[in-house]
């Protein structure tokens, strides 16, 4: 799972593999990043639906003094970044990036021509000494087309051109974070929406005079709310959270393929609506002159996919993390946890040709 200033970012890469987190190029502008926490286990209990790892990005604020502009040209893309003050209480930082890989690939006579675009925006307002509001958004637009302009293609190029599917994809995340601080902690409110639209199609031998052998269109949309109560008192660090989420997934798939020289076909439309809910609590404290850190947490999660998952306590996820400073620069860390993660929407929403969920 990936978080930007507390907002979850489901799609982090261009040309991402739907249902996974892979992709050849990252969407996040590295110039925005102030710090990153990586958790390979014993995840903070506030992070739900995490099984193999959590990356928690903290983004820098815009310049408070003046407007700055940065133009960057790399091996595959060019970018433009602005940052500065909007008024005495508000700063912004924004960037736009576009690749020119299609020109390089065309010059090299490669069979496919990818193009990606992305944007990223952060606006932060310090309402007063106890209240802040942060607006975040990032998105991508990816297109892949075939290079039909190759003169006298080689057999290898012709084969690749006949096999590649066309993939067009766009995604966005938009959200806000409101924080209210009190003497020993804070109330944090997170509200966001994200969406992915993924289109893949192919003609036999990529001959457009024939009927499509693959026609795939899928969307994922999630609306999320999370509240966190943070407290630091008498050496204890406490976090209590609750979250609600409404998700909608659609998939319209038509595909033909051969198995044992027999033509097979997948043809279905799927629509899935999920309500998800959860809660967590975590407490941490240092002992033995701050040499031993002990962190205990638990979370519960549920959703309306089936009766088993509706029961929060069927997905009870306890965890403990220990860290002991043997010497000034030497730590021994240990963790134990039981974690739950939903299957991807492409799995949950898969139907057979009779229209039944599998």
């Amino acid at each position: 799972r990936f978080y930007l200033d507390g907002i979850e970012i489901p799609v982090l890469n261009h040309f991402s593999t739907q249902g996974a987190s892979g992709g050849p190029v990252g969407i996040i502008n590295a110039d925005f990043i102030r710090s990153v926490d990586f958790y390979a286990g014993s995840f903070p209990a506030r992070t739900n639906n995490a099984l193999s790892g959590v990356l928690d990005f903290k983004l820098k604020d815009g310049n408070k003094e003046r407007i700055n502009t940065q133009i960057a040209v790399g091996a595959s893309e060019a970018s433009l970044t602005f940052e500065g003050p909007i008024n005495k209480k508000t700063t912004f930082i924004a960037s736009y990036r576009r690749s020119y890989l299609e020109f390089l690939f065309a010059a090299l006579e490669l069979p496919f021509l990818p193009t990606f675009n992305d944007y990223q925006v952060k606006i932060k307002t310090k309402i007063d000494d106890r209240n802040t509001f942060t607006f975040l958004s990032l998105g991508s637009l990816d297109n892949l087309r075939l290079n039909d302009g190759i003169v006298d293609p080689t057999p290898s190029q012709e084969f690749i051109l006949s096999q590649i599917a066309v993939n067009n994809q766009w995604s966005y995340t938009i959200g806000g974070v409101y924080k209210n601080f009190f003497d020993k902690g804070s109330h944090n409110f997170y509200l966001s929406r994200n969406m992915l639209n993924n289109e893949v199609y192919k003609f036999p031998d990529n001959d457009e005079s024939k009927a499509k052998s693959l026609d795939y269109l899928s969307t994922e949309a999630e609306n999320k709310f999370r509240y966190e109560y943070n407290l630091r008192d008498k050496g204890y660090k406490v976090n209590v959270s609750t979250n609600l989420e409404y998700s909608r997934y659609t998939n319209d798939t038509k595909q033909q393929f051969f198995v044992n020289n027999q033509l097979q076909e997948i043809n279905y439309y799927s629509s899935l609506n999920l309500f998800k809910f959860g809660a967590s609590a975590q407490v941490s404290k240092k002992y033995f002159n701050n040499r031993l850190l002990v962190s205990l947490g638990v979370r519960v999660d549920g959703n309306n996919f089936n009766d088993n998952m509706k029961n929060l306590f069927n997905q009870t996820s306890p965890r403990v993390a220990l860290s002991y400073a043997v010497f000034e620069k030497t730590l021994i860390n240990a963790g134990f946890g039981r974690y739950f993660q939903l299957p991807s929407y492409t799995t949950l929403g898969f139907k057979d040709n009779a229209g039944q969920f599998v």
Side-chain angles (χ1 to χ4, degrees):
R1 319 305 288 180
F2 306 96
Y3 291 85
L4 289 183
D5 284 350
I7 297 291
E8 186 179 350
I9 310 296
V11 180
L12 198 71
N13 298 294
H14 292 286
F15 297 106
S16 64
T17 302
Q18 191 174 1
S21 58
V25 182
I27 296 174
I28 295 177
N29 187 334
D31 292 333
F32 280 42
I33 298 173
R34 175 167 54 88
S35 64
V36 183
D37 290 324
F38 171 61
Y39 302 95
S42 302
F43 317 126
R46 58 182 170 78
T47 58
N48 66 308
N49 207 28
L51 195 65
S52 61
V54 173
L55 275 169
D56 191 2
F57 295 90
K58 301 294 191 300
L59 302 181
K60 70 177 186 179
D61 298 335
N63 192 298
K64 296 180 180 180
E65 306 298 329
R66 62 183 184 275
I67 299 291
N68 288 332
T69 304
Q70 176 178 300
I71 299 173
V73 178
S76 61
E77 76 274 347
S79 65
L80 180 64
T81 302
F82 295 98
E83 65 170 320
I86 296 177
N87 54 44
K88 291 183 178 180
K89 294 184 177 182
T90 305
T91 62
F92 79 96
I93 181 169
S95 73
Y96 170 75
R97 182 171 59 165
R98 179 179 172 84
S99 73
Y100 42 79
L101 283 173
E102 71 271 28
F103 304 116
L104 295 176
F105 281 32
L108 295 171
E109 294 191 331
L110 296 178
F112 52 93
L113 305 175
T115 303
F116 65 80
N117 303 261
D118 60 51
Y119 76 90
Q120 190 168 340
V121 179
K122 177 181 178 179
I123 301 173
K124 184 174 181 179
T125 298
K126 184 178 180 181
I127 302 170
D128 53 39
D129 289 341
R130 290 183 176 269
N131 298 276
T132 65
F133 178 77
T134 301
F135 169 84
L136 287 172
S137 184
L138 78 163
S140 65
L141 175 64
D142 306 329
N143 297 104
L144 186 147
R145 61 185 179 89
L146 304 178
N147 187 1
D148 297 322
I150 300 176
V151 179
D152 295 326
T154 65
S156 174
Q157 290 171 326
E158 288 183 336
F159 176 77
I160 296 174
L161 276 170
S162 70
Q163 298 302 308
I164 291 176
V166 174
N167 183 200
N168 299 313
Q169 191 177 102
W170 56 260
S171 70
Y172 70 82
T173 299
I174 184 169
V177 182
Y178 171 68
K179 294 186 177 182
N180 168 250
F181 298 92
F182 54 91
D183 290 342
K184 295 181 179 180
S186 66
H187 303 280
N188 299 347
F189 301 84
Y190 303 88
L191 183 65
S192 66
R193 174 179 170 84
N194 58 266
M195 188 169 180
L196 168 70
N197 188 93
N198 192 22
E199 177 192 34
V200 186
Y201 64 85
K202 188 181 183 306
F203 298 89
D205 298 321
N206 279 327
D207 181 351
E208 295 189 11
S209 66
K210 302 177 181 179
K212 289 179 180 177
S213 58
L214 170 63
D215 193 3
Y216 176 93
L217 179 62
S218 180
T219 63
E220 299 178 8
E222 297 176 323
N223 304 278
K224 302 181 180 185
F225 171 77
R226 188 174 81 255
Y227 164 73
E228 292 183 12
Y229 172 81
N230 296 287
L231 176 68
R232 292 175 181 264
D233 190 24
K234 298 179 181 179
Y236 289 95
K237 181 180 178 181
V238 178
N239 175 278
V240 178
S241 76
T242 184
N243 62 281
L244 295 171
E245 182 178 330
Y246 169 68
S247 304
R248 177 171 171 79
Y249 167 78
T250 65
N251 189 320
D252 191 354
T253 295
K254 299 177 182 66
Q255 183 177 11
Q256 294 177 332
F257 55 95
F258 282 92
V259 177
N260 297 325
N261 293 321
Q262 296 293 319
L263 181 64
Q264 304 289 327
E265 186 176 83
I266 295 176
N267 188 345
Y268 74 91
Y269 175 79
S270 181
S271 179
L272 185 65
N273 296 279
L274 280 182
F275 288 94
K276 308 175 190 177
F277 38 89
S280 73
Q282 187 156 356
V283 60
S284 305
K285 193 176 188 303
K286 290 184 176 181
Y287 299 92
F288 305 122
N289 295 323
N290 294 330
R291 296 176 70 118
L292 175 64
L293 171 65
V294 179
S295 181
L296 302 174
V298 64
R299 75 166 294 112
V300 290
D301 287 289
N303 64 75
N304 68 329
F305 184 77
N306 59 30
D307 290 337
N308 182 66
M309 287 194 283
K310 281 182 182 177
N311 188 337
L312 286 164
F313 300 104
N314 288 339
Q315 289 80 231
T316 301
S317 179
R319 61 203 69 192
V320 58
L322 305 172
S323 180
Y324 184 73
V326 183
F327 305 109
E328 183 180 352
K329 297 182 179 181
T330 304
L331 299 174
I332 296 177
N333 299 314
F336 171 82
R338 182 172 183 248
Y339 309 108
F340 291 86
Q341 186 176 44
L342 275 175
S344 66
Y345 293 121
T346 52
T347 300
L348 289 173
F350 180 73
K351 288 183 176 180
D352 58 22
N353 290 346
Q356 301 298 314
F357 285 110
V358 179

